[in-house]
Amino acid sequence: MSETRNARIISVGTSVPETVMTNSDFERFLDTTDEWIVSRTGIKQRHIVAKETPTPASHLGMEAAGIALKRAACQPSEIDGIICATFTPDFFFPSTACRIQAALGCRKAFAFDVSAACAGFTYALTIANSFVAAGRYNRILVIGAEVISKTLDWTDRSTCILFGDGAGAVVVEASTTPGRGVISSYLQSDGTLGDILVLPAWGEKRTMRMKGNEVFKHAVRLMTDASEKVMAAAGLTLDDIDYFIPHQANSRIISAVAEQLHLPAGKVVCNLERFGNTSSASIPLALDEIWAAGRITDGIRVLFTALGGGLTVGSVLVCF
Ligand code: UT7
């Protein structure tokens, strides 16, 4: 019998632009307040690329991936593939992943982008795991990189206050240790709900539009459902996880999902107060924080769950 191979996360790296935009900064040009933003979203500040010379997503992704490679003591030449989740690519093509490949010198790696909006990291990780499990590839960089500030309507107070720019990356490596790596993953999409969260590629108004209330309700329902399904598929219960890292969109969404899943607050990772919603980068940005705090050790189980425009939903259970 051939042995089971799973993709195991062996390191993480992140990068955010230097410029910090606080809630008070919005008060200068929008009818909003720090109090409203904090109480309705949990966000206090976000990092934003410079308006005049915006750093491209590939640059943030390259920086995050470079740190992840270093922490994994992995040479660029040892990487077999690069999968970058982004809805803010530098170009339609070449892909952001190809630009990161060139910048890092991962010469033998395949590279492509994944478009699944805020659920992108869970999709990219699932794809990487499938490549590894199939037996052909051993080490893959999985990246979420976004420059969302370029896509916002800065006069729309219900969307522009939510988002931040940034990137996160993990190195995954083939593991044959039973119960380690990606244990289970669940992806689902509902294109019939596509119009509640949209970023047009063409036309005059190419800025993000969102029916916030509707997204909120579907996010709570679908993230809860996906989390339950992935645990059931793994033959485990939510008591078996050490940490829950949900997509960081709104602290009220995170609390509602955690409550429905009966997860104690100590297991729920939330850092959106400093980064806002960074879409596909939000899960690795949160993972980086608990890893740096020494909370990721051998055998720790973490559940990643995200919802994004599409709608797309993804839940991935991993064991370190
Ligand atoms: O990553 C996945 C994508 N995004 C999400 O997951 C976001 C999901 N949705 C949300 O996070 C929330 O729906 C929002 C934060 C966007 C909005 O919060 P809400 O509690 O759902 O507010 P609402 O849309 O029901 O609006 C309530 C009021 C409205 O005023 P009226 O009509 O009651 O007079 C809005 O115009 O709040 C007003 N409002 C604001 N007021 C001050 C909306 N944005 C702001 C603002 N400052 N920034």
Side-chain angles (χ1 to χ4, degrees), residues 188-202:
Q188 194 208 335
S189 304
D190 186 350
T192 66
L193 293 170
D195 65 337
I196 66 174
L197 185 47
V198 176
L199 175 59
W202 311 105

Side-chain angles (χ1 to χ4, degrees), residues 30-33 36-37 40-41 118 156-159 161-163 197 208 210-217 219 247-250 252-253 277 279 307-309:
L30 269 184
D31 181 14
T32 191
T33 60
W36 191 95
I37 300 172
R40 306 308 290 168
T41 71
C118 298
D156 177 2
R157 64 179 182 173
S158 64
T159 55
I161 49 103
L162 296 172
F163 295 92
L197 185 47
M208 196 193 304
M210 179 173 69
K211 293 178 186 162
N213 265 319
E214 289 187 46
V215 177
F216 191 110
K217 281 183 238 154
H247 167 50
Q248 310 281 306
N250 184 318
R252 290 187 295 134
I253 295 178
N277 179 346
S279 186
L307 172 126

Side-chain angles (χ1 to χ4, degrees), residues 92-176:
F92 284 126
F93 61 85
S95 69
T96 310
C98 279
R99 288 175 53 83
I100 294 170
Q101 181 219 14
L104 290 174
C106 299
R107 258 169 286 155
K108 75 168 182 191
F110 66 77
F112 64 91
D113 287 358
V114 168
S115 170
C118 298
F121 183 77
T122 59
Y123 277 58
L125 184 57
T126 301
I127 295 166
N129 185 54
S130 305
F131 276 120
V132 168
R136 184 135 171 231
Y137 302 102
N138 292 319
R139 253 178 238 105
I140 297 178
L141 264 169
V142 179
I143 303 165
E146 305 286 6
V147 181
I148 306 171
S149 58
K150 282 196 301 186
T151 73
L152 298 172
D153 174 352
W154 291 92
T155 64
D156 177 2
R157 64 179 182 173
S158 64
T159 55
C160 71
I161 49 103
L162 296 172
F163 295 92
D165 301 330
V170 297
V171 175
V172 300
E173 189 174 73
S175 166
T176 53

